[in-house]
Amino acid sequence: MSIVIRGGTVVTAEQTFSADVYCENGLIAAIGENLEVPAGTEVIDATGQYVMPGGIDPHTHMQLPFMGTVASEDFYTGTAAGLAGGTTSIIDFVIPAPQQPLMDAYHQWRDWSEKSAGDYGFHVAVTWWDESVKQDMATLVQEYGVNSFKHFMAYKNAIMADDEILVNSFARCLELGAMPTVHAENGELVFQLQKDLLAKGITGPEAHPLSRPPVVEGEAANRAIQIAQVMQVPIYIVHVSCKESLEAITRARNEGQRVYGECLAGHLVIDDSVYRSEDFAFAAAHVMSPPFRSKEHQAALWKGLQGGNLQTTATDHCCFCAPQKAAGKDDFTKIPNGTAGIEDRMAIMWDAGVNSGKLTMNEFVAVTSANSAKIFNIYPQKGSITTGADADIIVWDPEASRTISAATHHQNIDFNIFEGRTVKGVPTHTLSRGNLVYKDGDLRAVKGAGKYVKRQAFSPVFEAMAKQSAANKAQPVNRK
Ligand code: URQ
Ligand code: ZN
Ligand code: ZN
């Protein structure tokens, strides 16, 4: 199966240039002007369009069992919807229940993800701690290509990691060459504020943002960053939603600490007025954590992306339909947290980012694909247009428009947080490892065609740091 993409302008995180791109056996085989290709090669005419690396969404939750239900989007429908929107790889999450062996949970999620239509990997959550967790982390890194571990600082009495778990797990991440990541909200404060609001009789979805104000996120982000600093380990903060977290990240980065920040397409363009809707279903459909924030925070997040203090964009694609959200009809704390976005992230980021002048096309590629590949160590296999890389490619028409709607999206959810938004700039073709899986509205996703992407540990950097850290600790104190 060979395909040549002719006449387009290649846009990567680093460069913009005219070239044909020839793909063979799932890889990019040649890049250049007027390429000679074998007879029978399928031709895609990319005249007037951009040829870019397929999007990487580093934060999704397909078919997640959560808050008494299961996310409605599964690994097939969710990755297929991603392909329709120009996202060709995801990094999802294995989330063990407390006391559940990490390896058991890992295999459970691997079974579920076999049906993926696009490529996928996993962050593994550390939701409890003992020696077996420490060992399973090593097994996951050394044998299963996991190089990142997630810590939920929220969700008390469920999957919340306290400081003891953070410290133990961060130390283990350094030893293994793995990246610790955090959902940064102070779960104790959320729990207290939820109780206070319910005690006052405020039970509707309007209470959700009131129970998780920006300071609750900023405190946790700062605490996680400081713990990482003491533990001498890099850290990745997921779904940064407010300026308080961004300030903590920026402060640390300005001090040379290795901190990375992710923001969600939704948090960049949707504000907290959604929670003040009289319509329960509408407001509840937007219940996710951290919540959508006021416009000042969106402006800060854009500056974070522009200034390089936020490196990646994601969706936190975690779908619950209206009947599921209705579980919280009389108690907002029972509304399953999560919203969708995998199909729309790329177009939202292009329309709100590039068309507005906030981001260059190269920065668009960086924050939707290349940076995630670099941070999670799958670059240039993913996130690049280079010979030998996976042929995960999108052909992008900057002049075409689309109006986003649940009525037409491929996502398996009855709501779209970007409903009615018309975006200019859409993918016309998506290639997943050289297979044409989307063409001009025709989605040709194949169940099970997606591959598990192993991500190697960051041994060179981390080993040296771990040795130095151990040497520092072992330094005897010469008492006179
Ligand atoms: O917290 C997360 O990232 C998961 C449980 C999805 N839900 C959400 O509200 N973000
Ligand atoms: Zn989260
Ligand atoms: Zn999440």
Side-chain angles (χ1 to χ4, degrees):
M1 167 73 166
S2 58
I3 289 184
V4 65
I5 304 168
R6 284 207 187 285
T9 299
V10 173
V11 180
T12 68
E14 292 79 23
Q15 291 177 291
T16 303
F17 57 98
S18 297
D20 299 343
V21 179
Y22 175 65
C23 310
E24 189 178 67
N25 302 326
L27 303 177
I28 295 173
I31 302 167
E33 301 266 17
N34 307 314
L35 287 180
E36 299 268 317
V37 298
T41 297
E42 184 173 354
V43 180
I44 294 174
D45 179 2
T47 307
Q49 299 189 65
Y50 298 118
V51 181
M52 301 189 283
I56 298 172
D57 189 340
H59 192 153
T60 62
H61 299 280
M62 304 304 177
Q63 61 194 91
L64 174 70
F66 190 55
M67 294 181 71
T69 185
V70 179
S72 55
E73 188 87 272
D74 71 24
F75 277 94
Y76 168 53
T77 58
T79 49
L83 295 172
T87 288
T88 50
S89 295
I90 63 170
I91 307 181
D92 204 282
F93 291 84
V94 174
I95 306 181
Q99 305 305 316
Q100 179 184 16
L102 270 57
M103 290 314 301
D104 286 4
Y106 175 79
H107 290 302
Q108 194 174 2
W109 258 266
R110 283 298 303 271
D111 288 347
W112 291 338
S113 55
E114 282 294 312
K115 54 180 166 298
S116 297
D119 289 1
Y120 58 95
F122 288 109
H123 312 285
V124 177
V126 177
T127 56
W128 64 290
W129 189 260
D130 74 2
E131 276 309 302
S132 73
V133 173
K134 187 173 178 181
Q135 184 44 50
D136 281 355
M137 290 174 74
T139 304
L140 287 162
V141 170
Q142 291 153 5
E143 298 176 33
Y144 292 90
V146 170
N147 70 13
S148 50
F149 290 95
K150 174 73 172 290
H151 308 79
F152 291 93
M153 299 170 75
Y155 307 126
K156 177 178 170 66
N157 298 330
I159 54 177
M160 186 174 98
D162 62 16
D163 286 4
E164 181 181 6
I165 292 174
L166 295 184
V167 169
N168 280 311
S169 185
F170 284 19
R172 188 57 165 162
C173 285
L174 180 59
E175 288 169 358
L176 295 170
M179 175 73 72
T181 81
V182 294
H183 170 136
E185 288 183 297
N186 183 312
E188 296 292 351
L189 285 176
V190 171
F191 188 67
Q192 184 59 47
L193 291 174
Q194 286 178 332
K195 283 193 298 186
D196 294 350
L197 287 155
L198 290 173
K200 290 174 187 159
I202 306 173
T203 62
E206 73 280 6
H208 180 68
L210 305 177
S211 68
R212 321 175 88 97
V215 63
V216 164
E217 180 186 332
E219 183 281 330
N222 192 59
R223 175 160 41 101
I225 289 167
Q226 301 292 31
I227 291 173
Q229 169 64 9
V230 171
M231 303 308 291
Q232 288 283 291
V233 68
I235 185 169
Y236 179 94
I237 317 283
V238 307
H239 50 44
V240 173
S241 78
C242 62
K243 61 181 180 6
E244 284 80 354
S245 304
L246 177 59
E247 283 161 2
I249 293 169
T250 305
R251 189 168 50 245
R253 286 178 62 89
N254 288 345
E255 292 300 314
Q257 189 177 342
R258 193 165 293 283
V259 180
Y260 299 105
E262 168 196 285
C263 65
L264 305 185
H267 281 143
L268 284 164
V269 298
I270 296 168
D271 66 65
D272 59 356
S273 61
V274 296
Y275 297 117
R276 294 189 282 278
S277 166
E278 293 296 311
D279 176 350
F280 169 84
F282 179 86
H286 289 88
V287 167
M288 70 160 299
S289 296
F292 295 104
R293 305 288 190 190
S294 62
K295 290 191 185 304
E296 64 173 310
H297 295 288
Q298 290 158 34
L301 296 179
W302 279 112
K303 291 190 173 67
L305 283 175
Q306 291 171 298
N309 286 307
L310 294 174
Q311 289 74 33
T312 66
T313 61
T315 62
D316 202 355
H317 189 81
C318 188
C319 300
F320 300 105
C321 295
Q324 295 174 288
K325 292 280 190 175
K329 194 86 177 76
D330 303 316
D331 175 351
F332 72 94
T333 67
K334 294 189 170 48
I335 300 172
N337 284 207
T339 55
I342 193 167
E343 185 167 353
D344 303 314
R345 175 180 64 115
M346 299 297 276
I348 289 289
M349 290 312 299
W350 184 274
D351 189 60
V354 178
N355 292 346
S356 70
K358 290 189 182 74
L359 300 175
T360 65
M361 296 191 291
N362 310 100
E363 289 165 344
F364 167 84
V365 172
V367 302
T368 61
S369 182
N371 286 355
S372 285
K374 291 173 182 173
I375 292 167
F376 294 110
N377 208 17
I378 49 177
Y379 186 87
Q381 174 199 348
K382 303 285 189 190
S384 81
I385 302 281
T386 46
T387 50
D390 289 353
D392 293 349
I393 301 171
I394 54 178
V395 179
W396 193 267
D397 182 349
E399 296 309 317
S401 291
R402 166 169 88 89
T403 298
I404 294 173
S405 173
T408 52
H409 71 203
H410 296 86
Q411 300 168 140
N412 187 24
I413 180 172
D414 56 4
F415 191 85
N416 191 307
I417 56 174
F418 305 111
E419 186 72 33
R421 190 182 289 262
T422 296
V423 288
K424 187 178 180 191
V426 295
T428 57
H429 299 72
T430 302
L431 279 71
S432 172
R433 286 198 328 287
N435 298 300
L436 185 56
V437 291
Y438 178 79
K439 181 181 183 200
D440 296 328
D442 175 18
L443 181 55
R444 309 165 178 179
V446 174
K447 196 171 200 173
K451 292 271 184 286
Y452 176 69
V453 181
K454 295 185 84 165
R455 296 177 287 119
Q456 298 310 313
F458 303 82
S459 46
V461 171
F462 279 42
E463 266 170 355
M465 290 174 74
K467 285 196 184 84
Q468 184 55 53
S469 174
N472 292 346
K473 283 180 190 150
Q475 199 65 28
V477 177
N478 292 323
R479 298 195 187 291
K480 297 289 177 236

Short mmCIF file of all heavy atoms in Angstrom, two decimals, residues 59 61 64 66 150 152 155 183 239 288-289 316 318 337-338, ligand 1:
data_model
loop_
_atom_site.label_atom_id
_atom_site.label_comp_id
_atom_site.label_asym_id
_atom_site.label_seq_id
_atom_site.Cartn_x
_atom_site.Cartn_y
_atom_site.Cartn_z
N HIS A 59 -4.32 12.99 26.38
CA HIS A 59 -5.17 12.90 27.56
C HIS A 59 -6.59 12.50 27.16
O HIS A 59 -7.42 13.38 26.86
CB HIS A 59 -5.18 14.24 28.30
CG HIS A 59 -5.79 14.16 29.66
ND1 HIS A 59 -5.46 15.03 30.68
CD2 HIS A 59 -6.72 13.34 30.18
CE1 HIS A 59 -6.16 14.74 31.76
NE2 HIS A 59 -6.93 13.71 31.48
N HIS A 61 -9.91 9.37 28.00
CA HIS A 61 -10.41 8.31 28.90
C HIS A 61 -11.49 7.53 28.17
O HIS A 61 -12.68 7.73 28.41
CB HIS A 61 -10.99 8.91 30.18
CG HIS A 61 -10.03 9.70 31.00
ND1 HIS A 61 -9.11 9.12 31.85
CD2 HIS A 61 -9.84 11.04 31.10
CE1 HIS A 61 -8.41 10.07 32.45
NE2 HIS A 61 -8.82 11.24 32.01
N LEU A 64 -14.02 4.72 30.32
CA LEU A 64 -13.55 4.76 31.71
C LEU A 64 -14.66 4.41 32.69
O LEU A 64 -15.72 5.08 32.69
CB LEU A 64 -13.02 6.16 32.03
CG LEU A 64 -12.61 6.40 33.49
CD1 LEU A 64 -11.34 5.59 33.83
CD2 LEU A 64 -12.39 7.89 33.77
N PHE A 66 -16.18 5.16 35.96
CA PHE A 66 -15.94 6.32 36.83
C PHE A 66 -17.26 6.80 37.44
O PHE A 66 -18.29 6.85 36.77
CB PHE A 66 -15.31 7.44 35.99
CG PHE A 66 -14.80 8.61 36.79
CD1 PHE A 66 -13.88 8.44 37.82
CD2 PHE A 66 -15.22 9.90 36.50
CE1 PHE A 66 -13.40 9.53 38.55
CE2 PHE A 66 -14.75 11.00 37.22
CZ PHE A 66 -13.85 10.80 38.25
N LYS A 150 0.46 8.65 36.31
CA LYS A 150 -0.50 9.71 36.63
C LYS A 150 -0.83 9.67 38.09
O LYS A 150 -0.93 8.60 38.72
CB LYS A 150 -1.77 9.49 35.80
CG LYS A 150 -2.92 10.42 36.11
CD LYS A 150 -2.66 11.82 35.59
CE LYS A 150 -3.89 12.71 35.73
NZ LYS A 150 -4.98 12.33 34.81
N PHE A 152 -3.76 11.43 40.65
CA PHE A 152 -4.94 12.30 40.83
C PHE A 152 -4.88 12.88 42.22
O PHE A 152 -5.01 12.15 43.21
CB PHE A 152 -6.23 11.48 40.65
CG PHE A 152 -6.47 11.00 39.25
CD1 PHE A 152 -6.04 9.74 38.82
CD2 PHE A 152 -7.13 11.82 38.34
CE1 PHE A 152 -6.26 9.31 37.53
CE2 PHE A 152 -7.37 11.39 37.04
CZ PHE A 152 -6.92 10.14 36.63
N TYR A 155 -10.46 13.81 43.87
CA TYR A 155 -11.26 12.59 43.97
C TYR A 155 -10.98 11.80 45.26
O TYR A 155 -10.65 10.62 45.25
CB TYR A 155 -11.08 11.68 42.75
CG TYR A 155 -11.32 12.39 41.43
CD1 TYR A 155 -10.37 12.38 40.42
CD2 TYR A 155 -12.49 13.11 41.19
CE1 TYR A 155 -10.58 13.03 39.21
CE2 TYR A 155 -12.72 13.77 39.99
CZ TYR A 155 -11.75 13.72 39.00
OH TYR A 155 -11.95 14.38 37.80
N HIS A 183 -3.06 15.31 38.01
CA HIS A 183 -4.30 16.06 38.00
C HIS A 183 -4.24 16.90 39.26
O HIS A 183 -4.37 16.36 40.37
CB HIS A 183 -5.51 15.12 38.01
CG HIS A 183 -6.83 15.80 38.24
ND1 HIS A 183 -7.95 15.49 37.50
CD2 HIS A 183 -7.22 16.75 39.12
CE1 HIS A 183 -8.96 16.24 37.92
NE2 HIS A 183 -8.54 17.01 38.90
N HIS A 239 -4.28 19.11 32.16
CA HIS A 239 -5.39 20.06 32.09
C HIS A 239 -5.25 21.29 33.01
O HIS A 239 -6.08 21.50 33.90
CB HIS A 239 -6.75 19.39 32.26
CG HIS A 239 -6.95 18.46 33.42
ND1 HIS A 239 -6.53 18.74 34.70
CD2 HIS A 239 -7.55 17.25 33.49
CE1 HIS A 239 -6.88 17.76 35.48
NE2 HIS A 239 -7.49 16.84 34.80
N MET A 288 -16.99 18.95 34.35
CA MET A 288 -15.72 18.26 34.26
C MET A 288 -14.78 18.92 35.25
O MET A 288 -15.09 20.02 35.74
CB MET A 288 -15.13 18.35 32.85
CG MET A 288 -14.66 19.74 32.47
SD MET A 288 -13.51 19.74 31.10
CE MET A 288 -12.18 18.76 31.78
N SER A 289 -13.66 18.26 35.55
CA SER A 289 -12.72 18.84 36.52
C SER A 289 -11.33 18.86 35.93
O SER A 289 -10.87 17.87 35.38
CB SER A 289 -12.73 18.00 37.80
OG SER A 289 -14.01 18.09 38.38
N ASP A 316 -8.97 15.57 27.28
CA ASP A 316 -9.53 14.88 28.45
C ASP A 316 -10.87 14.25 28.05
O ASP A 316 -11.86 14.30 28.80
CB ASP A 316 -9.72 15.85 29.61
CG ASP A 316 -9.77 15.10 30.94
OD1 ASP A 316 -9.76 13.85 30.91
OD2 ASP A 316 -9.84 15.76 32.00
N CYS A 318 -13.75 12.32 27.83
CA CYS A 318 -14.32 11.40 28.83
C CYS A 318 -15.83 11.62 28.79
O CYS A 318 -16.33 12.61 29.32
CB CYS A 318 -13.75 11.72 30.21
SG CYS A 318 -14.19 10.51 31.46
N ASN A 337 -18.03 13.32 36.08
CA ASN A 337 -17.19 14.40 35.55
C ASN A 337 -16.58 14.01 34.19
O ASN A 337 -15.91 12.97 34.09
CB ASN A 337 -16.03 14.66 36.51
CG ASN A 337 -16.43 15.41 37.75
OD1 ASN A 337 -15.61 16.10 38.34
ND2 ASN A 337 -17.68 15.29 38.20
N GLY A 338 -16.79 14.83 33.21
CA GLY A 338 -16.13 14.57 31.94
C GLY A 338 -16.85 15.21 30.77
O GLY A 338 -18.07 15.39 30.82
O1 URQ B 1 -10.19 13.92 36.03
C1 URQ B 1 -10.04 13.40 34.92
O2 URQ B 1 -9.18 13.76 34.15
C2 URQ B 1 -10.95 12.30 34.46
C3 URQ B 1 -11.59 11.55 35.58
C4 URQ B 1 -11.98 12.86 33.48
N1 URQ B 1 -12.96 13.73 34.07
C5 URQ B 1 -12.79 15.07 34.22
O3 URQ B 1 -13.68 15.74 34.72
N2 URQ B 1 -11.68 15.65 33.85
#
